[in-house]
Structure formats: structure tokens, C-alpha cells
């Protein structure tokens, strides 16, 4: 009886051990698949951003419409209308449009960047055949360069054509330069927005400033702040979800009075630069006045350039944004009042 009982225990133990081994093996295989998928996503994401498109989480589309019963996924928003979740489909789509691919190179001199030393950033724009790319003006400028550091304490919006070089020379060579001084140690995102052949593009680059990093992001989700005597209130939903359109509403006051005489800045009521805390996602978009369309804003901006009296608007500006992934984002805003540009900064947690 004792021997039979021992044999029974051994059999049960073997079965349990075998089951656990199978479970462990299955979990291991799943983890390997997840890891492979993550690597694939990283490659796909890089391809998407290198092509100048946005990487985000939402339902896939076909011919500009959501695919019925399809699940939301991480993918590439091509030309703002086709959200592609599969790398192979993306490659086929880009293959059909190969003539419109552009390349941007960034040269940093000197290569080793030290804080508080002047650096020259040189961008070279080429078409699919390697020829100089002819750029088109968008929001009054050929190139919008956004520089943001990894703790959100530094923000710059610059334009190479403002550096004193002649526009005709720059256009003929496809080379644009600007000088910049990185104020502190850390990693920086250098985002470049431009237009060519009636297409809008965004390219991301990174720069590392050598030294001992001491600062980190201080999470601050407050929605009421003051910037240079301007009190700004940001209204947004209680919860913000990746891949879903979110309306940001700004309300401006100065000396406790509503700001009703705001001015257009670079063809918009307000410029917004949205960046994720790891600097991997970047969006350059705009806000409009409640009662003013973007076309009206552009028309009024042209009036301002011609030194006619610009319109007055405010105190409320709105912007619809789709945050591409979960995480902590910072939304930098630029508005103009009394001829001066004021920068705002708010953090948004995205689920």
C-alpha cells in the first residue's frame, strides 16, 4: 500500500511539474513574441517618423475612413488621412508615392556640444533624386525649427531664414543654417517642420549636450499658471486618451481683465508644440479663436505683414489635438500681444 501510495504521489508530482513547465514555456514564448513585436514597432516607428509622418494610437483607416470593426493600434498616420498599422502595408504605400519622399540631414558643428557655447545647426534638404529640395512657405516661414530639452525647461522656436543668409542662396542649395546656444546639459529634441510640393513634413533629430545631468522632469498638472503677468487657464477633459481627439481651451487674462486684443503670430492665433517626456513624439499644431477660422487668421496675418491694423481676438483660443501614445506630455504655446511673443507651458497626462 505504501509503495502504491508513493508511486501515486510521484505520478501526480510529475504531471504538475510537466504542466508548470508547459505553462512556463508558453509564457516564455509569449514574452518572446511581445519582444519581437516591440522591436518591429520600434523599426516601424522610426520609418514612419523618418518619412515625416506622425506615429500614434488609433483605429486603422482606408481611403481616409475608419476600417469597420478594426481594433485600435500603434501605427503611422500617412499624410494625415491614412492610419496604417502594418509595416509591410506602409512600405507598399510609400512605394507608390516614392517620388515624393524627401531627405533631411542635420550637421552639428562642433560635434561635441557643451553648455553655453554657440553651435551651428546646418540642415540639408534633398528630394528623392538627391537634388536640392525647393521649400514652400508655411505660416510665413520656409522652416520652423523647434528645440526642447528633456526636462521641458527649455523651449525655442527658430527659423534658419532669419539668420541673415539670403533666401535665394539657401533655396538654390537646399542648405539652411542657424546658430544656437544650448543652455544646459541633457538631451534635446530638434524638430523641423517644412512644406514641399504641397506636402507638409516633420523630421526629428536629437542632440546631446555633454556633462553631468542633474535635472529631471518635475510633474506639474496644474491648469492655471501665470506667464509674464499673463494669467492663462487651460481647460481639458478630466481624462485624456491616446488616439482620441482632445480639445484644449485656453483662456487669457492680464491684470484680471480678459485679453481681447491678441494678435496673429506666424499665421495663427497660437502655435503649439506638443512633446512626450521621452522626446519620441512631437506635434507642431495651432490654435484658433472661437469665432475665427484658420483661413481668416491667415488673411489677417498677411494684413499684419503689410503693416495694416491687425484684428483683435481673444480671450479664448481652442485647439483639437490627438495625442499619439500614452504618457506625460508638455504642451508649449506661443501667442502674441502688444507686439511681444509669450510662451506658455502645460503638462498633460495621457492614458
Amino acid at each position: 500500500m505504501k509503495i502504491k501510495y508513493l508511486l501515486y504521489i510521484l505520478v501526480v508530482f510529475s504531471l504538475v511539474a510537466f504542466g508548470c513547465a508547459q505553462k512556463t514555456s508558453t509564457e516564455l514564448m509569449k514574452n518572446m513574441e511581445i519582444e519581437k513585436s516591440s522591436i518591429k514597432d520600434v523599426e516601424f516607428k522610426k520609418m514612419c517618423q523618418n518619412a515625416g509622418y506622425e506615429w500614434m494610437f488609433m483605429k486603422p483607416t482606408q481611403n481616409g475612413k475608419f476600417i469597420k470593426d478594426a481594433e485600435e493600434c500603434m501605427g503611422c498616420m500617412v499624410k494625415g488621412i491614412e492610419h496604417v498599422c502594418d509595416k509591410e502595408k506602409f512600405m507598399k504605400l510609400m512605394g507608390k508615392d516614392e517620388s515624393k519622399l524627401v531627405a533631411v540631414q542635420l550637421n552639428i558643428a562642433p560635434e561635441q556640444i557643451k553648455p553655453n557655447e554657440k553651435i551651428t545647426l546646418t540642415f540639408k534638404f534633398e528630394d528623392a533624386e538627391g537634388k536640392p529640395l525647393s521649400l514652400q512657405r508655411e505660416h510665413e516661414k520656409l522652416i520652423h525649427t523647434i528645440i526642447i530639452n528633456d526636462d521641458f525647461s527649455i523651449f525655442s522656436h527658430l527659423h534658419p531664414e532669419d539668420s541673415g543668409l539670403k533666401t535665394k542662396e539657401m533655396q538654390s542649395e537646399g542648405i539652411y543654417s542657424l546658430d544656437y546656444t544650448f543652455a544646459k546639459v541633457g538631451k534635446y529634441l530638434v524638430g523641423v517642420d517644412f512644406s514641399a510640393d504641397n506636402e507638409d513634413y516633420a523630421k526629428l533629430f536629437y542632440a546631446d549636450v555633454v556633462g553631468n545631468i542633474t535635472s529631471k522632469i518635475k510633474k506639474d498638472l496644474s491648469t492655471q499658471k501665470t506667464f509674464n503677468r499673463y494669467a492663462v487657464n487651460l481647460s481639458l477633459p478630466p481624462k485624456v486618451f491616446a488616439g482620441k481627439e482632445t480639445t484644449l481651451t485656453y483662456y487669457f487674462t492680464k491684470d484680471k481683465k480678459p485679453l481681447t486684443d491678441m494678435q496673429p503670430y506666424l499665421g495663427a492665433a497660437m502655435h503649439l508644440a506638443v512633446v512626450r517626456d521621452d522626446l519620441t513624439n512631437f506635434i507642431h499644431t495651432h490654435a484658433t479663436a472661437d469665432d475665427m477660422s484658420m483661413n481668416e487668421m491667415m488673411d489677417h496675418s498677411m494684413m499684419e505683414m503689410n503693416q495694416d491694423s491687425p484684428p483683435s481676438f481673444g480671450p479664448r483660443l481652442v485647439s483639437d489635438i490627438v495625442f499619439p501614445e500614452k504618457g506625460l506630455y508638455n504642451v508649449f504655446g506661443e501667442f502674441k500681444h502688444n507686439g511681444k511673443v509669450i510662451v506658455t507651458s502645460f503638462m498633460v497626462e495621457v492614458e
Side-chain angles (χ1 to χ4, degrees):
M1 290 293 293
K2 288 183 179 181
I3 294 174
K4 288 183 178 180
Y5 183 69
L6 287 172
L7 288 172
Y8 175 76
I9 292 175
L10 286 171
V11 170
V12 171
F13 179 78
S14 299
L15 290 172
V16 171
F18 179 74
C20 291
Q22 270 196 321
K23 184 178 180 181
T24 303
S25 177
T26 302
E27 289 177 351
L28 183 61
M29 291 296 292
K30 285 183 179 179
N31 290 335
M32 288 176 65
E33 288 299 321
I34 292 173
E35 187 175 347
K36 287 180 180 179
S37 177
S38 299
I39 293 172
K40 183 178 179 181
D41 284 346
V42 170
E43 293 174 350
F44 185 12
K45 180 177 180 179
K46 188 174 181 180
M47 291 171 60
C48 172
Q49 293 179 333
N50 284 344
Y53 300 123
E54 290 184 26
W55 179 259
M56 62 174 56
F57 181 79
M58 65 179 291
K59 280 190 173 184
T61 63
Q62 188 170 3
N63 298 324
K65 297 181 180 180
F66 288 119
I67 298 175
K68 189 177 181 181
D69 300 327
E71 294 184 0
E72 294 176 332
C73 60
M74 294 305 305
C76 189
M77 177 58 77
V78 180
K79 297 184 180 179
I81 57 171
E82 294 298 348
H83 187 249
V84 183
C85 301
D86 183 78
K87 186 172 75 171
E88 283 69 30
K89 288 184 179 179
F90 171 79
M91 292 174 70
K92 289 180 180 179
L93 185 63
M94 295 306 294
K96 294 177 182 178
D97 209 14
E98 189 174 354
S99 62
K100 292 188 177 181
L101 290 177
V102 301
V104 184
Q105 300 174 24
L106 170 61
N107 179 67
I108 300 176
E111 291 185 6
Q112 187 178 63
I113 307 174
K114 297 179 180 179
N116 298 313
E117 289 189 3
K118 187 170 73 173
I119 300 295
T120 300
L121 305 175
T122 301
F123 302 95
K124 185 176 183 180
F125 297 82
E126 296 178 338
D127 61 18
E129 298 178 355
K131 297 178 181 178
L133 185 67
S134 179
L135 304 182
Q136 298 169 321
R137 290 191 181 276
E138 184 70 20
H139 285 277
E140 302 178 13
K141 299 294 180 179
L142 292 174
I143 304 167
H144 295 266
T145 304
I146 306 293
I147 300 176
I148 302 170
N149 77 328
D150 54 5
D151 69 0
F152 297 152
S153 64
I154 295 176
F155 170 83
S156 299
H157 181 174
L158 309 168
H159 311 98
E161 60 226 75
D162 296 338
S163 64
L165 297 176
K166 293 182 180 179
T167 303
K168 289 184 179 179
E169 292 179 2
M170 294 189 296
Q171 285 181 313
S172 63
E173 298 175 3
I175 296 176
Y176 303 78
S177 297
L178 61 84
D179 292 332
Y180 186 76
T181 300
F182 293 89
K184 59 192 296 186
V185 173
K187 185 176 182 179
Y188 288 74
L189 174 145
V190 181
V192 184
D193 278 13
F194 61 97
S195 296
D197 296 325
N198 298 318
E199 294 283 349
D200 295 330
Y201 297 93
K203 299 286 186 177
L204 300 184
F205 300 94
Y206 297 94
D208 291 307
V209 180
V210 298
N212 296 321
I213 299 176
T214 57
S215 59
K216 294 182 179 180
I217 292 177
K218 296 180 180 178
K219 189 175 179 180
D220 178 9
L221 298 178
S222 57
T223 56
Q224 296 182 9
K225 296 183 180 181
T226 300
F227 307 93
N228 295 348
R229 292 179 56 203
Y230 293 89
V232 184
N233 180 78
L234 175 64
S235 299
L236 67 166
K239 289 188 176 182
V240 178
F241 297 97
K244 305 291 184 182
E245 189 174 75
T246 300
T247 299
L248 304 183
T249 303
Y250 290 84
Y251 191 88
F252 302 85
T253 61
K254 186 178 183 182
D255 300 328
K256 297 183 180 181
K257 296 180 181 179
L259 203 64
T260 58
D261 56 346
M262 302 174 74
Q263 300 165 297
Y265 173 57
L266 295 175
M270 189 177 185
H271 281 253
L272 299 177
V274 185
V275 61
R276 197 164 176 257
D277 57 2
D278 60 0
L279 304 182
T280 59
N281 279 303
F282 169 74
I283 303 170
H284 179 191
T285 186
H286 310 92
T288 60
D290 274 352
D291 57 349
M292 189 175 292
S293 70
M294 182 59 70
N295 288 333
E296 289 175 320
M297 188 62 63
M298 290 294 289
D299 291 340
H300 290 312
S301 182
M302 293 303 296
M303 288 172 56
E304 184 181 19
M305 292 174 64
N306 295 328
Q307 297 182 344
D308 290 333
S309 298
S312 295
F313 58 88
R316 186 177 284 104
L317 303 180
V318 296
S319 180
D320 293 326
I321 295 177
V322 177
F323 291 90
E325 292 184 77
K326 296 180 180 179
L328 181 66
Y329 289 78
N330 204 86
V331 182
F332 293 96
E334 296 173 280
F335 70 94
K336 190 175 183 180
H337 183 248
N338 287 338
K340 294 182 179 180
V341 178
I342 309 298
V343 178
T344 66
S345 177
F346 291 94
M347 290 187 187
V348 178
E349 189 83 64
V350 179
E351 300 182 8

